[in-house]
Amino acid sequence: NASRQIEHPHPHTAFGCCNRRRVGNSRSWVNTENGGGSKMSNFLIPSASEPSKRIEMYSPRFYAACTVGGILSCGLTHMAVTPLDLVKCNMQIDPAKYKSISSGFGVLFKEQGARGLFRGWVPTLFGYSAQGACKFGFYEFFKKYYSNLVGSENATKYKTFICLAGSASAEVIADVALCPMEAVKVRVQTQPGFAKGLSDGLPKFIESDGASG
């Protein structure tokens, strides 16, 4: 049958004892209490018979998903801890002025205000997004590449080494992708007056150090 009535067996739930109707072939239930006119709860759960949209391993969609996952997990998290990274960089440059994390936050807040604690967040976001995209995407690429290179039997036997080699290869590319933004970020955060952010910091950096800097 396309639909059927069942009795709700739990009288102590938020809606009390009620009837629910199953809609079509899916596991979608609507509350039909009070003559069926009230839809107090609507549970939409895909039916087991419905085809699931899975991403095929090592397909373009798979690598795209890995890349997006790397951008979100690395770019956003590093941007969120920009204030801590700012204090850390200044402690390394001028330990006499920034003696500890707590005093470093105090000095920066006093001199630059709350907004100054996020100085360098744009190159941080872009740089670590690029790093995460390369790290996650190329790891899966190299893992498959090295597995195919040694054959399925050896790939299974030396799975740990395959993963380590794929991770190391991806990390090299990821760190190279990070370098330009990291260089600008450090200048913006540790050299007062150098630049306000990425838009003016990158041209100044290229002008002073060249594109290879």
Side-chain angles (χ1 to χ4, degrees), residues 21 65 80 91 93 96-97 108 114 116 118 140 150 159 163 170 173 185 196 206 209 211:
R21 186 178 76 251
M91 287 177 64
I93 296 296
K97 183 177 181 181
L108 288 171
F118 281 89
E140 296 296 340
V150 301
K159 182 179 179 180
C163 292
I173 298 175
K185 176 191 78 72
K196 295 180 180 179
I206 295 176
D209 292 58

Side-chain angles (χ1 to χ4, degrees), residues 13 29 200 204:
T13 57
W29 301 90
D200 57 338
K204 284 185 177 181

Side-chain angles (χ1 to χ4, degrees), residues 27-38:
R27 296 178 185 174
S28 177
W29 301 90
V30 295
N31 185 10
T32 58
E33 190 179 17
N34 298 328
S38 172

Side-chain angles (χ1 to χ4, degrees), residues 112 119 187-195:
Q112 303 176 31
R119 193 170 75 250
R187 289 285 185 91
V188 170
Q189 290 180 335
T190 59
Q191 293 185 11
F194 174 76

Side-chain angles (χ1 to χ4, degrees), residues 25-173:
N25 292 323
S26 66
R27 296 178 185 174
S28 177
W29 301 90
V30 295
N31 185 10
T32 58
E33 190 179 17
N34 298 328
S38 172
K39 293 184 179 180
M40 298 172 66
S41 59
N42 192 0
F43 303 91
L44 298 176
I45 304 175
S47 172
S49 62
E50 295 178 358
S52 58
K53 296 181 179 179
R54 294 182 179 179
I55 299 177
E56 183 181 352
M57 288 288 289
Y58 308 116
S59 66
R61 286 185 62 199
F62 173 76
Y63 289 117
C66 292
T67 300
V68 173
I71 291 173
L72 295 177
S73 62
C74 293
L76 295 180
T77 53
H78 280 80
M79 183 190 70
V81 297
T82 295
L84 184 61
D85 183 53
L86 177 63
V87 174
K88 183 263 296 182
C89 290
N90 280 279
M91 287 177 64
Q92 292 173 329
I93 296 296
D94 192 354
K97 183 177 181 181
Y98 303 92
K99 298 179 180 180
S100 65
I101 294 177
S102 58
S103 66
F105 273 114
V107 171
L108 288 171
F109 183 79
K110 183 179 180 180
E111 293 182 352
Q112 303 176 31
R115 187 176 180 180
L117 294 176
F118 281 89
R119 193 170 75 250
W121 72 269
V122 176
T124 298
L125 175 62
F126 286 1
Y128 284 95
S129 292
Q131 187 200 45
C134 294
K135 187 183 296 186
F136 281 52
F138 279 110
Y139 167 68
E140 296 296 340
F141 171 81
F142 282 115
K143 187 171 65 173
K144 182 177 184 299
Y145 175 78
Y146 292 142
S147 296
N148 293 338
L149 202 64
V150 301
S152 59
E153 183 178 348
N154 286 327
T156 302
K157 185 177 181 181
Y158 302 106
K159 182 179 179 180
T160 300
F161 295 102
I162 294 293
C163 292
L164 287 173
S167 177
S169 301
E171 188 66 33
V172 170
I173 298 175

